Amino acid sequence: MQLTDAYDPQNIFAKILRDEMPSIRVFEDETTLAFMDIMPQAPGHVLVIPRVAATNVLTLSADDARAVMTTTHLLAPAVQKAMEAPGLMLAQLNGAAAGQTVPHFHMHIIPRHKGLEMLGHGTEVADMNELADIAARIRAAI
Ligand code: AMP
């Protein structure tokens, strides 16, 4: 995946946006969608994506960048509260060389606890009931 690749409308997040793939949603508005990462690097790992077809930061408009950050900014305290996290990591990868694996722009919100190492990137699929419980706690904290 190169930074200059054309947008692939069959990528997994595009399918989630079109409801062709299931997701555990925590928030959505006109321009963004937030859902649980199915291979969380820590419990409470949430992804925020724009609805527009943008592969990475180079193809995302400033308006959509603002929209993603606004949703991230709304959800960060909810994730923090729901997970009782003393730390929060925001991360966003562009291009395979940076570790991006899904070619639709996304922001990671990852709760961090001192001494609790993050799991590897996209390694272990979480229990869906557990993810649904966590999502309900996050939604309740918005
Ligand atoms: P990145 O490597 O930055 O592109 O992040 C992609 C993220 O998407 C990883 O953290 C994966 O665990 C996550 N992921 C992949 N497939 C799905 C899916 N179907 N639903 C939710 N998260 C996913």
Side-chain angles (χ1 to χ4, degrees):
M1 188 197 321
Q2 307 297 322
L3 284 177
T4 51
D5 281 354
Y7 184 79
D8 170 12
Q10 296 311 320
N11 81 74
I12 203 129
F13 293 172
K15 290 182 179 176
I16 285 174
L17 279 166
R18 294 194 297 266
D19 259 335
E20 293 168 10
M21 278 283 297
S23 65
I24 301 176
R25 299 178 177 215
V26 293
F27 177 82
E28 55 190 306
D29 62 13
E30 271 177 19
T31 47
T32 64
L33 171 66
F35 53 95
M36 301 308 294
D37 193 304
I38 51 163
M39 289 172 275
Q41 291 186 257
H45 184 166
V46 168
L47 299 171
V48 182
I49 66 174
R51 290 193 187 273
V52 289
T55 305
N56 56 56
V57 70
L58 300 188
T59 51
L60 188 71
S61 71
D63 277 349
D64 285 306
R66 272 190 283 275
V68 169
M69 188 45 92
T70 298
T71 297
T72 302
H73 187 261
L74 172 79
L75 292 181
V79 172
Q80 189 278 329
K81 191 174 164 200
M83 305 314 294
E84 297 177 357
L88 277 181
M89 186 171 118
L90 301 183
Q92 196 278 310
L93 311 177
N94 300 279
Q100 184 180 10
T101 57
V102 178
H104 183 108
F105 182 92
H106 50 281
M107 183 74 78
H108 297 260
I109 305 176
I110 306 176
R112 298 302 312 273
H113 290 81
K114 213 166 182 217
L116 188 68
E117 286 301 315
M118 280 198 307
L119 291 177
H121 198 70
T123 46
E124 223 174 281
V125 178
D127 178 277
M128 291 302 139
N129 291 328
E130 223 167 273
L131 280 189
D133 282 353
I134 290 175
R137 273 159 49 198
I138 293 171
R139 279 195 295 270
I142 292 173

